[in-house]
Amino acid sequence: MFEKQIAVFLTLYVTGSFTKTAERLFMSQGTVSKYIAFLEKKFGPLVKRNNNGVVVNEQGKLVFDYFIKMLDQEFQMKYELLQMEEAHPTITISTIPSIVNYHIFQVIKEFQKKYPAIEVRFQESSMRDWEKDISPEKIDFLFFHQMNERISLLNYEALAGEFEEFVVAVNRNNSLSTYPELHFKDLVNEKFFLLDWSTKKVDPILNVLKKDFAESQILYIGQNLDMILSSVSSNMGVSILLKRIIPDKETHQLKLVPFNDLEGGKVVLVRRRQMDHSRPADLFWEFVMTNQLIKKEFHNGIVS
């Protein structure tokens, strides 16, 4: 049966790090170590620490392969039972519009391919208050950028995905495109097109701009990303954005320069902890924990 100890081991196999495993699963390193010790008591030594992180030994690789096969069979059993009992099983994800640019979207597509009878519905999150976005009973999960927001682990379960960093989007003909990195002081003569995708996240940018820049320099604040990217591509101004929200197809006329005056964050998948989740929602959560939010990378038997 699916257990958190198994999810922890699978994640450790992927990350090669107790620290990264704890961060991804929103656990303490002590809890991660306890779960691995529990499995090693049952199956023998599975991992070995070294200066490069964690090396999974031959026993660990064998256990990993069996866990994957076991979970695949368990998930298939749950899916077939679900089909017998529910006519139209569904899950609903409240999400940022740019979810397609993150690895979780590939996980969702794989989930739909394996379990086509479960309908995955998307609802665009307002991102004004993430806790309100996930509060309606019809919302099973929320996918959003976690910057400074605190997630109460008493009330929510969370899985972390890719780390996000801020960049300045500039036209490739703009002299700023030659900078290795940019700061607010480098932008004093620029016009700004800003994405108002969350008041909490745009506030740090606005606070600096309103303090040190002229009001006339802010030409747009809104939710039309296409208009912002089109304006920057036309060299009408610049934009400070999170890197991954920009579709690859839109970057041919743009240069994305690292912006180090604002701290980035990570994307997270969240669900409420203290409630009875639907069986399709439980299956999806377990599937995501098994398949991770970030692509697996292996090199010579060492997970990196």
Side-chain angles (χ1 to χ4, degrees), residues 240-255:
I240 302 173
L241 298 162
L242 289 172
K243 184 176 181 179
R244 288 181 180 270
I245 71 170
I246 305 172
D248 290 339
K249 65 180 181 180
E250 300 290 347
T251 60
H252 60 284
Q253 294 182 5
L254 302 177
K255 181 70 178 293

Side-chain angles (χ1 to χ4, degrees), residues 9 13 46 56-66 300-301:
F9 176 69
Y13 191 99
L46 302 177
V56 178
N57 61 26
E58 291 303 315
Q59 296 100 305
K61 293 174 185 176
L62 180 66
V63 170
F64 176 88
D65 289 340
Y66 270 95
N300 293 333

